[in-house]
Amino acid sequence: MEMCKPILEVRDLYVNFYTYAGIVKAIDGVSFTVCEGETFCLVGETGCGKTVTSRAITRLVPEPGRIEKGEVIYYTPYGKINLLELPEEKLREIRGKEIAYIFQDPAAALDPLYTIGYQIAETMVEHKTVSKWKEAFIKAVEVLRSVLMPDPEKRVKAYPHELSGGMKQRSVIGIGLSNQPRIIIADEPTSYLDVTIQAQIMDLLRKLKKERKLTIILITHNMGLVAEMCDRVAVMYAGNIVELGTVEQVFKNPLHPYTKGLLRAVPNPLTKIEKLEAIPGTVPNLIYPPPGCRFHPRCSYTMDICKREKPRLVEVEPGHHVACWLYSR
Amino acid sequence: MAELKRFLIRRLVTFIPTLIGVTLLVFIIANLIPADPARAWAGGEKASPEVIERIREEYHLNDPWYVQYVFLMKKLFTNDIVSPRTHNKIWDDLIFGTSQGVAGAGTKYGRFFITLQLTLFAFLYIVFIGIPLGILSALKKDSLLDSTVRTLALVGVSTPVFWLGYLLIYIFFVRFRVIELAGFPEPTQRITGIMVIDALLLGENDIAIQIINRLALPAFVLGFIGIGVIARITRNSFLETWNADYIEFGKARGLRKSRLMRHALKNALVPIVTVLGLQFGGLLGGAPITETVFGIPGMGRYMVEAIRNFDYPALIGGVLLFALIYMLANLIVDIAYAFIDPRVRY
Amino acid sequence: MTRKGLSKTAGIVIAVIIIIIIAIAAYYATQKPTTTTTTPTVSSPSPTSTPTTTSTPSPTTTTQTTTSPTTTTTSPSPSPTTTSSTPTTTPKPEKAFHKRMIYIINNDPVPRINMLQSGTADAAAIPLENIPDVEGYTMGNYKIVVEKGLLEPSIVYVVLNCNKAPFNNTLVRQALAYAVPYEVIIQTVYEGYLKPLHGIIPYGFLGYTTYNIINYTAIPYEERLNKAKELLQKAGIDPTQYTFEIWYNAGNTQREKIATLLSESWGRLGFKTSTRSLEWPVYLSKVENGEFDVYIIGWAPDYLDPDNYVGPLFYGGTKFKEVNVVEVQSPGDVGKYVKNAVVFDTEKYYVVVGEKGTGASVSVSGKPFIVVSYIVDEDKTKPIENSTGFVDIDPAFYRNTTVDALAIAGRREANPEIREAIYNALFQASNREVPIILLGQYVLVRPYWNWLHGRYYHPTLAERYDLLWEDPGAPTVNTGIKDYVNDPNTYVVATIGWPDTFDPAFNYETFGWAIFHNIGDTLVTYWKEETKEVSPDLAVAWVHNKDSTEWYFVIRGGVKAYDPWHNKVYNITALDMLFTIWRVARLEGDPSWMVTEFIDTNNSKVYTEEEFDQILKNNELIAEYKGQSKVVKSLDELLDFFGYKGKTAGVLYIKLYYPYGPILSILADPFLMVIPAQYLFDNVDQLKGKYEEAMNAAEWGKNPSAWAKYIGKGEQEPTHQYLHKFPVGTGPYYVKEYVEGSHIVLEYNPYYWNTTLWENLYGFKP
């Protein structure tokens, strides 16, 4: 295994949402490290908190959410900074320049009233990647070319509604890459696309990552995608990371009952399964989460301690962590 | 752009049947009322039969209604018909002004342009107070400012125009003599039809200031309701766009707040522009009370008098103008959409 | 409570506090102030400021020093007057002459009240219920006074459809007249400013009488109701069988209240009543066709004669082959003239009306008799069903041959004593028959600042603004109209409406007539408050033939008309006056009936002084003036009789279709102010350059019908359209500028023929 040079480290992140119904404890003490140059995946069901976590990294959590506690350490060539304590202006400089996002729905992410060329140029001008708008528009064409947009000179003047889903997502990726970021956080980048386009986009991402030595944090619920794209994966459930390790480790040797259940529920090209199984029960209400381990109501291996105390992430084998009382005392 | 031109021409062509339809409808309704206007025009109960008969002949009141209508429209078209009430040609009263170039005799600007100027001022209030208030309200949602603005907007919509007028007159005329209630300053020449612009073009700045002073308060009264309405609409529309995904993505891209607001505002514009267009037409119609209270010789008062006295020519002429302005306002709104939102196709 | 909820409540609380503050401010705004208010633009009223001579065009007035009795002023007219600190030749009291007069138009009473209170206006039209708001209001040493008490000739009355049951019964009508709640109406609708009237002729006009009439307000209301019920029983009708509507015209809140009060009161008698409002043109249409039960309306006279009430409002449309009037002393002689008799016991005479013939006998004696005998012309008399209200027949569709005969007789009678008796009889008839129930005549209420002096009242003519003056020390306030200020030399009135037109030939309303009275001259006029006799104006002397069908007017010389639009002056002669009157008839404008009904304009002419002198010599023409009457035989004798010594400018001859005594009061009406004919021919496109041609065609006044080729009819007629915008006149003021619906500015006429009057009154010389 290679040495991990950390580029991003999330420590003990707690995020609450203050709604009229009550306080939603969405993220309940999440910690992980992302290594430079790798593709790190955050996986889990809808509502498990992976999107919120990804947003929390650059303090993009919208009202009524609040980051209660925790640190996000970003390793720059000039030293470490805690993104959660950075003044807003400095943080804004990092967003879109060193850490770039790709959102799920490219149609919604693009402002329908502006051309994509403008939106690309705008991002560059904002971060002073270029000094003049004219330059920015010329560069925008190059950006589009780099994301393999067909006929970029024409497309740069196009409005979002004039492009197909795949082209829109390429534009979003282009926007993300325009300022030469170090980290890309891609939040389910292909959920809204056809399967064939999915493959194209993922190929593109892979290519770009190699060319520019990017670190990618990929958020998805698609296990197949994980198997294809990721180096390391963290499995989230109800606001907690329940298992963390390399793709090989997690897929070949799932430790956490939830992970096992997940893998049984989807076809897994790495092992052979007889039939697909659903995990009994539903995702818990995070306003009144179950005490102790949040998975225990659905777990077949529940023990007394599971109902009382929350398990910590423990390293079971090098690089493979799990948070389950089955593996720790 | 060629498409836009074709669209414009098509829309302008639809004006004609609409105008005919509107005037015909008004004319028929007015005719349905069993009144003989000739008597009222001739001096009421003191009118002599010869005079009444002469008026009847002159205005074709003895002919069937369709003959009357065609006569009216033809004469209106050539500005050849005189209002039996004001004794001026209708378009002179409304558009061209009655002074015929002689200083002191009447006004160089028709009633319509006087009201138009008042309306434009009111419109400026609505745009420059209402929209910023709405944006502020949206940005500081649920704050003190937001609640205050929303409650005041509600008050604004419920306030009777003349009551507000009286109150402001008391403050700004009786207590502190800041405004005037009489007279109507005019520049020495008429160029565009908007008095304050003409005054500025001619370099007559003191007259321009007088005009602004005269209209500042009445325009505020006229626009008061509109300010509240636009503030609410802007707030809601802005909130909707501010919570949109592309704004979140913009934040994720590291765009500064002012840039994000540009995005949000442009997207919020479509409903705002729609309401503004409707407001403009409504302002024209809401002028009579304001004009009466502040003594402004505008079209609102003119039309009320025309209706009272069954002054057919003035009625039809005025209705024609109103309809035209409504349609133009709508057209401008539609064109504005095309410029704001590229998804809109014609 | 959450943070959001807290700020929400706080926001509402703040908004409510703001509203309360506004409400308190509004409350104070409506309070009547008891302390002196000073407006920031008031200039110092101290008389010790030194007069200055400036040649700036701004109309400032400087007050005089205490030593000099003249007012020195700087005016916007060509040459500035010089300062004089020594007493001039006319030692008159301190009076500031009205060099300028401004109407400020505002149709809303609140701004008018504010303008009056702030001194922007010297006088204003204030609704009756707001009079207490302005009365006693002070500014410095001055306060607003409200003149009350004078009776106006305008009346308000209720019309009953005498063609319909139950109103076709006199007793029913009398019952309804008794049951009107006069006191309540006067108090609640008119704030007390209405005086009850019980006959067709108002107080102040010939014929008004209190002798031998039913006084419907002599007994209290409850007793009146009983009396009314008695009358209904006597009439044999059951009120509960009748349902009717009381109409008023939409927008008139006073009449609305009256309708409600009438409905309620008559309801107490048993009638089933309701009220209804109609838009004015609809109103007129229906009532003129007789499609109504009861309606409320008003009337204001056009000229000073009872015939202007009896004719339109009481005369039933009967046409006669003959109407004769004769005075006899003994009752026995009555029967020589009439075969039946209706007798009216008036104060000085018994008036007997009957069909021509013999045989009637009367049982009264002690006073002389006026006997009116008539023969009805059935063929020419229109049936009631085909008649139009106000035109062929009175508004109540009431026809009574006796009344009609009296009306015609009164119209033609020249002898003032007999005329009075006839109109007394008519008053009594209207009082007993009550086809229309008079509610009352208006009491004049005039609020104005007491720095204004010289005010007077005439029933049909407005004031002449040059006969009013102000204290030189009165405050000066900006008007807001250009640079005009309301200084003591400027008379500002805040009022409503707008004159229909500046062309007198087409104007039939009071606003226009008030202006014409100030910018023009008529043949004769009523001087100030005079109502009995006319005074010379444009005409310096006049005579008429024996039966008053031919009148000659000698025109004053040296009268000039000022055209401010081209800065030109025209000399006025008799030809212009003929042209003016002829044009009124020709254009068929709204007031034209007052000319066309009586004057045969195409056979009226202009004579030279020499021709007229001959006419006097060869005819028996009578001059009447100041109570004296004389047959004059020469122009000099005539001028001497009228005490006139100056130049003359021709003689106007007017031919009447039939004798009509009140013709002089019609000629005093401002719509007949003189217009210089050449002004029209110089400026109207269609007539340019044709003056000589037109005058030649009319033989310079001998054949006016030739003018028909040049002047047409109707609102679109070119001279009307021109004069409508560019008024011209010979009077003390001229129209300087106006903006429709906003203001009218009158300025003193430097070419006025009677500036010596100003010199005498104010020491002012233009």
Side-chain angles (χ1 to χ4, degrees), chain A residues 72-318:
Chain A
V72 174
I73 310 294
Y74 172 52
Y75 290 76
T76 74
Y78 315 105
K80 305 194 283 191
I81 30 180
N82 180 357
L83 293 179
L84 296 187
E85 279 173 6
L86 213 53
E88 183 65 32
E89 266 309 297
K90 291 263 183 275
L91 190 53
R92 197 178 58 74
E93 278 170 35
I94 292 180
R95 282 195 211 123
K97 190 172 164 98
E98 302 189 43
I99 302 180
Y101 281 82
I102 296 171
F103 276 17
Q104 254 185 354
D105 182 2
L110 293 169
D111 185 333
L113 305 189
Y114 292 86
T115 61
I116 53 165
Y118 178 88
Q119 300 190 52
I120 300 174
E122 177 182 45
T123 320
M124 290 197 276
V125 169
E126 184 67 56
H127 289 283
K128 304 201 177 54
T129 311
V130 290
S131 47
K132 284 201 292 245
W133 273 93
K134 266 206 156 102
E135 219 186 305
F137 274 100
I138 299 171
K139 275 207 125 174
V141 179
E142 292 310 312
V143 167
L144 285 180
R145 209 188 301 275
S146 71
V147 295
L148 305 179
M149 176 77 83
D151 206 355
E153 290 87 0
K154 196 160 132 219
R155 297 275 188 264
V156 82
K157 294 189 224 140
Y159 286 93
H161 67 277
E162 292 169 342
L163 303 175
S164 72
M167 290 200 254
K168 283 199 267 257
Q169 194 61 297
R170 285 181 200 273
S171 316
V172 171
I173 294 174
I175 291 177
L177 292 176
S178 55
N179 292 320
Q180 322 289 355
R182 296 177 70 212
I183 304 179
I184 294 226
I185 305 181
D187 187 351
E188 310 223 33
T190 54
S191 317
Y192 278 64
L193 304 173
D194 301 336
V195 176
T196 46
I197 313 293
Q198 263 187 38
Q200 285 179 20
I201 297 295
M202 294 322 293
D203 279 343
L204 176 64
L205 274 178
R206 246 200 304 257
K207 171 172 164 311
L208 292 169
K209 176 189 163 192
K210 215 158 98 174
E211 280 174 14
R212 305 184 187 204
K213 311 230 189 320
L214 298 169
T215 308
I216 299 185
I217 301 177
L218 181 62
I219 295 154
T220 181
H221 58 268
N222 185 340
M223 300 304 281
L225 206 55
V226 174
E228 252 189 70
M229 292 287 297
C230 301
D231 300 320
R232 290 167 60 233
V233 58
V235 180
M236 279 187 76
Y237 179 81
N240 292 117
I241 295 188
V242 296
E243 191 160 345
L244 173 63
T246 67
V247 162
E248 284 262 344
Q249 288 169 330
V250 172
F251 274 66
K252 281 248 172 74
N253 186 16
L255 296 174
H256 196 281
Y258 176 63
T259 321
K260 290 193 204 166
L262 257 190
L263 287 172
R264 279 203 295 271
V266 290
N268 184 346
L270 288 181
T271 55
K272 189 166 181 266
I273 349 180
E274 303 298 311
K275 58 181 172 132
L276 301 175
E277 279 176 37
I279 309 175
T282 52
V283 180
N285 176 342
L286 292 182
I287 297 178
Y288 305 106
C293 172
R294 285 183 172 185
F295 184 63
H296 83 254
R298 300 168 82 183
C299 186
S300 349
Y301 307 93
T302 323
M303 301 178 288
D304 255 346
I305 188 170
C306 303
K307 303 183 195 171
R308 283 192 326 258
E309 272 180 61
K310 199 149 125 201
R312 321 243 100 193
L313 268 179
V314 292
E315 195 165 8
V316 168
E317 47 171 343

Side-chain angles (χ1 to χ4, degrees), chain B residues 36 39 42 46 49 51 54 58 82 86-88 98 104 106 142 147 155 166 169-170 177 182 292-293 297 301 310, chain C residues 4 7 106 108 111 114 120 281 285 288 300 302 391 478 588-590 714 716 720-721 724-725 737-738 740-741:
Chain B
D36 175 19
R39 205 104 204 279
K46 297 193 174 196
V51 177
R54 177 188 58 70
E58 223 178 293
V82 161
T86 67
H87 293 240
N88 287 321
T98 49
D142 294 327
S147 305
V155 171
Y166 290 166
I169 286 178
Y170 178 72
R177 185 66 178 265
T292 306
V293 172
R301 275 168 57 187
F310 282 73
Chain C
K4 262 194 304 227
S7 67
N106 193 309
D108 191 293
N114 288 332
T120 311
S285 295
E288 81 178 16
D302 297 321
V391 177
N478 280 336
E588 286 185 23
D590 301 354
Q716 324 237 46
H720 166 61
Q721 282 289 308
H724 170 66
K725 293 194 210 316
E737 62 174 278
Y738 62 90
E740 290 91 343

Side-chain angles (χ1 to χ4, degrees), chain C residues 434-552:
Chain C
V434 256
I436 68 177
I437 303 177
L438 278 299
L439 294 175
Q441 52 185 125
Y442 295 108
V443 172
L444 178 69
V445 178
R446 286 204 289 208
Y448 56 94
W449 283 99
N450 64 353
W451 60 64
L452 183 65
H453 301 283
R455 297 207 77 168
Y456 61 92
Y457 179 70
H458 188 270
T460 53
L461 295 176
E463 288 166 308
R464 276 257 302 263
Y465 304 128
D466 59 328
L467 299 179
L468 310 179
W469 72 92
E470 298 181 30
D471 279 345
T476 298
V477 179
N478 280 336
T479 59
I481 303 172
K482 294 194 174 171
D483 289 332
Y484 295 121
V485 291
N486 184 10
D487 57 15
N489 293 100
T490 308
Y491 182 44
V492 179
V493 173
T495 185
I496 61 175
W498 184 260
D500 270 359
T501 172
F502 285 124
D503 179 0
F506 254 92
N507 190 306
Y508 201 0
E509 43 85 27
T510 47
F511 198 161
W513 284 21
I515 295 179
F516 301 142
H517 189 54
N518 279 283
I519 66 169
D521 289 292
T522 45
L523 277 173
V524 293
T525 190
Y526 289 98
W527 181 251
K528 282 199 173 179
E529 304 190 310
E530 175 61 49
T531 55
K532 294 276 183 291
E533 195 177 19
V534 295
S535 315
D537 191 6
L538 191 67
V540 295
W542 52 91
V543 292
H544 63 90
N545 65 353
K546 188 141 178 283
D547 68 354
S548 302
T549 54
E550 298 187 332
W551 294 74
Y552 297 80

Side-chain angles (χ1 to χ4, degrees), chain C residues 537-702:
Chain C
D537 191 6
L538 191 67
V540 295
W542 52 91
V543 292
H544 63 90
N545 65 353
K546 188 141 178 283
D547 68 354
S548 302
T549 54
E550 298 187 332
W551 294 74
Y552 297 80
F553 295 87
V554 181
I555 303 300
R556 185 186 303 269
V559 176
K560 296 187 176 27
Y562 177 50
D563 166 12
W565 314 108
H566 307 91
N567 202 16
K568 274 176 79 168
V569 171
Y570 295 89
N571 290 316
I572 297 294
T573 66
L575 183 62
D576 296 301
M577 195 66 221
L578 176 66
F579 179 79
T580 302
I581 299 181
W582 180 90
R583 180 175 172 268
V584 169
R586 170 69 173 158
L587 278 176
E588 286 185 23
D590 301 354
S592 59
W593 73 270
M594 281 188 268
V595 172
T596 56
E597 172 67 23
F598 308 107
I599 303 179
D600 183 355
T601 53
N602 282 323
N603 285 318
S604 303
K605 301 186 205 307
V606 165
Y607 289 109
T608 62
E609 284 80 341
E610 295 75 34
E611 287 168 332
F612 179 56
D613 205 42
Q614 282 293 34
I615 294 172
L616 282 175
K617 213 191 299 248
N618 299 331
N619 289 288
E620 298 273 306
L621 293 169
I622 309 161
E624 278 154 346
Y625 189 51
K626 292 207 168 100
Q628 310 265 27
S629 172
K630 187 176 182 193
V631 173
V632 289
K633 285 299 191 177
S634 76
L635 180 55
D636 288 334
E637 196 186 339
L638 175 60
L639 294 179
D640 197 55
F641 181 72
F642 274 84
Y644 180 70
K645 288 191 178 34
K647 295 220 204 55
T648 60
V651 179
L652 173 66
Y653 162 72
I654 292 184
K655 181 160 186 354
L656 302 184
Y657 290 114
Y658 51 84
Y660 192 62
I663 190 66
L664 283 178
S665 58
I666 292 184
L667 291 172
D669 273 344
F671 78 101
L672 287 175
M673 60 170 262
V674 66
I675 304 287
Q678 195 171 359
Y679 172 72
L680 294 174
F681 282 87
D682 279 350
N683 294 302
V684 176
D685 288 332
Q686 290 86 338
L687 297 178
K688 277 197 177 133
K690 297 198 181 153
Y691 180 64
E692 299 276 332
E693 179 193 316
M695 294 304 132
N696 277 326
E699 293 168 49
W700 293 90
K702 296 285 194 287

